[in-house]
Amino acid sequence: MILPLPKQRRPSLFRDDEPVVQGRSLLPEAREPGAYVPRFGDKNIWNFNGVLERPANCWASSWRVHFSFELEDPYWNLLVREFLMMSFNPRHPEVLKSGVLLDGYGSPSTLIQVASRLRTAAKWGRNKGLPAHPETWTVQDLRRRIIDLSATGITPNTVRGHVTAFKTLAAAVPALSLGWPAGDPWPGQSSRQVVQLSASKDLATSAVPPETWFPLIRAAWAYIHDFAPDVLRADRRYNELLAAASPSAIGVDERLEEWLAAPQNKVPLYASPSEDQDPQVNWSLLMLLLGYERDRYVVFSETYGPLHRQRRARILEEVAKGRTTTQALAGEVVQTARPDGSTGPWHPGIGPRALKHLRTALRDAAFTLVVGLSMMRDSEIHEILRNSVVEHYSTPAVASTKIKGTRNRPGKHWWIAEPLVEALAVAESVSLHPERVFSPVYSARQDGAIDGVNMLESFVRFVNTNRAWTGLDEIPAAYIRPHMFRKTMAMLTDQFPGSEIATGIQLKHLAKRALANVTTRSYAASDDNWAKYLEDALDNVKFRKIKDLYESHTAGEEIGFGPGADRVKDAFDQINDAVKARNGDARTADTLLRTTRIHIRFGMLNNCTADHANPVGAVCLENAIIPEGHVGPLDERCRPDRCANSMIGPEHLPIYDSHQRTQLQLINNASMPACRRDLAERELDITRNVFKMAGESQ
């Protein structure tokens, strides 16, 4: 039986024993007999852990709604529980019967935010001297609450969330059993308009600064590709020693003499933290190397009996002879060039203590590469499971779960380059979680999440702290968040469709052309800080292609057909003659190629050789309306078959051959409408003109 509060206008729509989660897929353990799903009558906490699937990047605390502090008041408690129940189950029969239609909130973490907004509203009302319960509040009070919030300096987006809560509560009033100010406080206005957020299509997300992006990506790749084998080898060796260690030190003297008799065995030392501090013997690691548990190192104690001191002196005698190593676990490690100009191991000594930090660094480096180069969201990266690298349409891809904007957690594939395959393999090898790739690497508590922001910041600190050994460039301090890398990569791939990104490492064909929709165009919008880097990199990509054409031409290979190709060949011949006249080499040819004015715009159907400053003979400009500020040819009006600047490359001919066959099929189709057949014949004429230009007999 539902017992109403004295101020209730009507009994609540929901029974106290009614489950909060309705119409959703429960976890298997929540479907077991006796499993507890939060009930509407739970006044202290709604715990969704073990009931609903929790995203991998969400902490367990973000899956529990607490009705504490101001929400412990019976009035506010029931009001908030009713509102959250309606928001979580907007298609509940009783809610629909009351005439209330809400968009609803799909995630328990959103319910926490809504509860927090109403909790702070209750506290604000108390501080302002308003009645303890909002039944006598007015819409003017709610507007004043938003004005006060804005005056505190919090972001408009945060204020917008409070406005949305108040507007949604106003829509839910007919179904509430307790009083709330009736009517929308801002009729006819959206939450965005209330807080004066512009409706600009440009994203507020900024790109990662280039001076941070380049050294960060290079450092992550160095740890994954160069340093990870040393760390993983040391980790395997350490685990083998732990597994084989004997709990008893019986026979240690015989074993010590046997171990010292082997010349390849060296006494392990701690890595010296500074030049003026003498290295010390790592006694616990020495015990592991001898085959005993670490805590048995007391057999070398100088405070025990003479036998102990004798063993210790025996080891120190070998140390004095120089029979030592700081890399007892890893062996020989990668050598690097350091900032001071010297060359040495990238790490002074990978011991058990350092392994904990290095395993974490490898995980963070892998996360940095994946978030930086895959265009996956932070939540999607955390959902990556073991053995998720697959072949998708004959291309390496990672399978994961899409969470944003969905409730059914659909599977999705993201194409990735080989460096990311390597990064995920490293992350998988250091992960302790039975399923996830990105997880704590040393904590036994595997039900918690890890924070992407913390991983990025931790990796930057680790790289900068240890660069005296690694020789890596310093990573400038900057505000970086996972979603900023998605924006940066979208911008880069838009600037370099189908090309390679010069980051100092080979990224294969990672770049993909941006899709033509508003959001993607906003993501791909150029950034002023990147302008110089993009221009320089684009020039380098273009020069490499011109250089490849020059080398092919001088080797006697065909590089293209048409009037544009003839001009390029003439320019190459002049350069080749000049190189021979100077008895020059490839460096001379590179210099002449850079200084000679060779205009080539590489395209899918042809290459344009028009000079931007003086596009003489460009058919695309005939009878055309030139957009204000535009310089150079108009790509969309290109006529490869009849332009004096057109250069048909050998790589373009298969495309025209396929197009010709398609048009012939259309023309020979008796059911084809006449207008469509005429269009196909015009397209066929263009294709045949291209083949004539190329001297092909079709």
Side-chain angles (χ1 to χ4, degrees):
M1 178 179 179
I2 299 176
L3 298 176
L5 288 174
K7 295 184 179 181
Q8 275 186 271
R9 300 177 297 176
R10 64 180 71 87
S12 178
L13 297 180
F14 313 106
R15 305 184 315 274
D16 280 353
D17 62 349
E18 192 168 349
V20 173
V21 182
Q22 301 182 26
R24 297 172 186 246
S25 178
L26 302 179
L27 291 174
E29 54 266 33
R31 298 194 292 267
E32 293 292 331
Y36 188 79
V37 177
R39 309 292 177 181
F40 173 73
D42 296 338
K43 300 179 181 180
N44 298 321
I45 185 175
W46 289 354
N47 188 357
F48 296 94
N49 287 290
V51 177
L52 294 176
E53 184 76 21
R54 174 164 52 89
N57 64 334
C58 288
W59 301 95
S61 59
S62 66
W63 232 234
R64 292 190 289 262
V65 183
H66 291 271
F67 302 101
S68 55
F69 301 105
E70 276 71 17
L71 299 187
E72 292 173 349
D73 178 277
Y75 190 105
W76 280 100
N77 187 279
L78 179 58
L79 176 71
V80 172
R81 282 189 291 116
E82 284 186 345
F83 181 49
L84 296 187
M85 187 74 174
M86 295 178 201
S87 301
F88 208 53
N89 304 282
R91 299 299 176 261
H92 190 287
E94 295 300 324
V95 176
L96 295 177
K97 190 183 300 183
S98 68
V100 172
L101 295 175
L102 303 177
D103 290 336
Y105 301 120
S107 169
S109 58
T110 308
L111 298 184
I112 295 176
Q113 296 176 11
V114 176
S116 175
R117 289 160 187 161
L118 296 180
R119 179 184 293 108
T120 56
K123 182 178 180 180
W124 170 85
R126 176 167 52 81
N127 293 338
K128 293 295 182 180
L130 295 178
H133 301 147
E135 60 181 345
T136 57
W137 290 11
T138 65
V139 293
Q140 287 78 13
D141 293 326
L142 300 182
R143 293 174 191 153
R144 186 154 59 100
R145 162 64 175 158
I146 297 303
I147 293 173
D148 289 350
L149 265 180
S150 302
T152 61
I154 62 177
T155 64
N157 264 322
T158 302
V159 180
R160 178 188 174 192
H162 290 262
V163 173
T164 300
F166 288 163
K167 290 174 73 70
T168 309
L169 251 176
V173 164
L176 296 174
S177 67
L178 294 169
W180 179 263
D184 187 343
W186 303 274
Q189 289 183 283
S190 67
S191 299
R192 178 180 291 273
Q193 291 171 332
V194 172
V195 297
Q196 298 179 350
L197 272 175
S198 65
S200 172
K201 295 180 181 179
D202 295 334
L203 294 180
T205 303
S206 59
V208 179
E211 58 272 14
T212 297
W213 193 87
F214 282 104
L216 178 58
I217 296 298
R218 289 194 185 107
W221 178 238
Y223 270 88
I224 293 300
H225 186 68
D226 299 329
F227 306 156
D230 294 337
V231 178
L232 297 179
R233 184 171 63 253
D235 188 53
R236 286 193 298 270
R237 175 63 172 153
Y238 184 57
N239 288 327
E240 290 170 358
L241 293 173
L242 289 175
S246 171
S248 172
I250 296 176
V252 66
D253 293 300
E254 293 79 3
R255 173 57 186 148
L256 177 60
E257 292 303 323
E258 179 185 350
W259 188 83
L260 290 175
Q264 71 272 17
N265 292 331
K266 297 182 179 181
V267 178
L269 302 180
Y270 287 108
S272 179
S274 60
E275 295 181 359
D276 58 351
Q277 183 174 343
D278 294 333
Q280 298 178 342
V281 176
N282 190 336
W283 299 105
S284 60
L285 180 55
L286 176 60
M287 289 305 297
L288 281 177
L289 294 173
L290 292 173
Y292 303 99
E293 290 185 352
R294 297 176 56 187
D295 59 0
R296 298 300 176 183
Y297 67 88
V298 294
V299 300
F300 295 105
S301 174
E302 60 182 345
T303 60
Y304 280 64
L307 188 57
H308 295 74
R309 291 193 291 271
Q310 182 179 348
R311 296 189 194 107
R312 185 182 185 89
R314 184 80 173 86
I315 294 299
L316 294 179
E317 180 182 344
E318 297 298 322
V319 172
K321 296 178 182 179
R323 187 181 175 181
T324 61
T325 181
T326 58
Q327 304 288 3
L329 294 177
E332 294 294 327
V333 298
V334 170
Q335 302 289 302
T336 59
R338 296 168 174 172
D340 60 3
S342 63
T343 300
W346 72 270
H347 195 281
I350 304 178
R353 186 180 302 172
L355 271 177
K356 170 183 173 181
H357 304 293
L358 289 172
R359 285 167 55 89
T360 302
L362 291 184
R363 180 203 64 191
D364 297 346
F367 179 83
T368 300
L369 275 183
V370 176
V371 77
L373 302 177
S374 70
M375 293 184 69
M376 296 179 72
R377 295 182 178 90
D378 178 72
S379 58
E380 295 159 348
I381 295 174
H382 283 79
E383 292 289 335
I384 298 176
L385 303 179
R386 293 181 181 274
N387 302 315
S388 290
V389 176
V390 298
E391 191 174 271
H392 187 59
Y393 290 97
S394 302
T395 304
V398 58
S400 189
T401 302
K402 183 179 183 297
I403 295 178
K404 183 173 181 179
T406 65
R407 291 189 182 182
N408 56 347
R409 299 171 60 88
K412 188 177 178 182
H413 291 87
W414 287 262
W415 281 307
I416 57 176
E418 289 299 327
L420 300 192
V421 176
E422 191 171 338
L424 289 171
V426 171
E428 190 170 328
S429 65
V430 300
S431 173
L432 296 181
H433 197 279
E435 297 178 346
R436 296 178 192 167
V437 168
F438 293 101
S439 71
V441 298
Y442 55 85
S443 172
R445 183 176 61 86
Q446 292 299 322
D447 60 339
I450 50 177
D451 189 274
V453 175
N454 289 342
M455 283 192 284
L456 289 173
E457 294 177 345
S458 174
F459 183 66
V460 171
R461 287 194 303 269
F462 192 85
V463 171
N464 288 339
T465 301
N466 300 297
R467 57 183 298 268
W469 305 328
T470 62
L472 296 173
D473 295 332
E474 183 175 5
I475 304 174
Y479 179 86
I480 52 176
R481 294 295 183 269
H483 64 281
M484 295 171 63
F485 287 87
R486 180 175 162 88
K487 154 70 177 176
T488 306
M489 196 60 188
M491 176 192 66
L492 290 174
T493 54
D494 179 71
Q495 298 293 327
F496 302 104
S499 70
E500 294 171 353
I501 300 173
T503 62
I505 59 176
Q506 177 73 312
L507 296 180
K508 308 292 183 180
H509 296 285
L510 188 66
K512 303 293 180 184
R513 183 179 292 276
L515 301 176
N517 60 60
V518 172
T519 302
T520 305
R521 284 201 300 272
S522 297
Y523 262 94
S526 186
D527 186 283
D528 292 341
N529 294 329
W530 279 86
K532 176 181 180 299
Y533 293 91
L534 296 179
E535 183 178 356
D536 291 345
L538 188 59
D539 289 342
N540 289 335
V541 171
K542 180 179 176 181
F543 176 76
R544 285 198 299 271
K545 290 188 175 182
I546 292 177
K547 183 179 177 181
D548 290 342
L549 284 179
Y550 172 78
E551 292 175 350
S552 298
H553 178 67
T554 55
E557 300 176 10
E558 184 60 70
I559 64 171
F561 313 94
D566 293 339
R567 288 201 303 274
V568 173
K569 293 174 184 177
D570 289 342
F572 285 167
D573 289 338
Q574 294 176 20
I575 292 174
N576 195 33
D577 292 341
V579 172
K580 292 178 179 178
R582 301 180 187 181
N583 294 321
D585 54 9
R587 185 180 297 276
T588 305
D590 284 359
T591 301
L592 292 174
L593 279 172
R594 289 187 182 276
T595 56
T596 303
R597 293 175 60 84
I598 300 177
H599 303 282
I600 304 180
R601 301 176 70 191
F602 296 93
M604 182 66 70
L605 299 179
N606 75 329
N607 299 328
C608 178
T609 62
D611 184 350
H612 282 206
N614 185 25
V616 177
V619 175
C620 61
L621 299 179
E622 294 178 0
N623 304 316
I625 299 176
I626 310 299
E628 184 178 354
H630 179 80
V631 178
L634 296 171
D635 296 340
E636 67 275 9
R637 302 184 79 245
C638 180
R639 286 298 303 270
D641 62 318
R642 53 183 289 260
C643 183
N645 297 308
S646 180
M647 174 181 177
I648 304 296
E651 69 276 10
H652 299 130
L653 295 179
I655 299 175
Y656 284 102
D657 181 60
S658 175
H659 189 58
Q660 176 178 250
R661 290 196 301 269
T662 301
Q663 304 312 310
L664 287 172
Q665 290 176 359
L666 295 175
I667 293 171
N668 295 329
N669 187 348
S671 62
M672 186 63 58
C675 59
R676 184 66 183 88
R677 183 177 291 106
D678 291 342
L679 177 60
E681 289 177 349
R682 289 197 297 271
E683 288 292 318
L684 183 61
D685 289 340
I686 293 175
T687 305
R688 286 174 172 170
N689 289 337
V690 169
F691 283 125
K692 288 179 181 178
M693 182 186 300
E696 294 284 338
S697 175
Q698 300 293 329

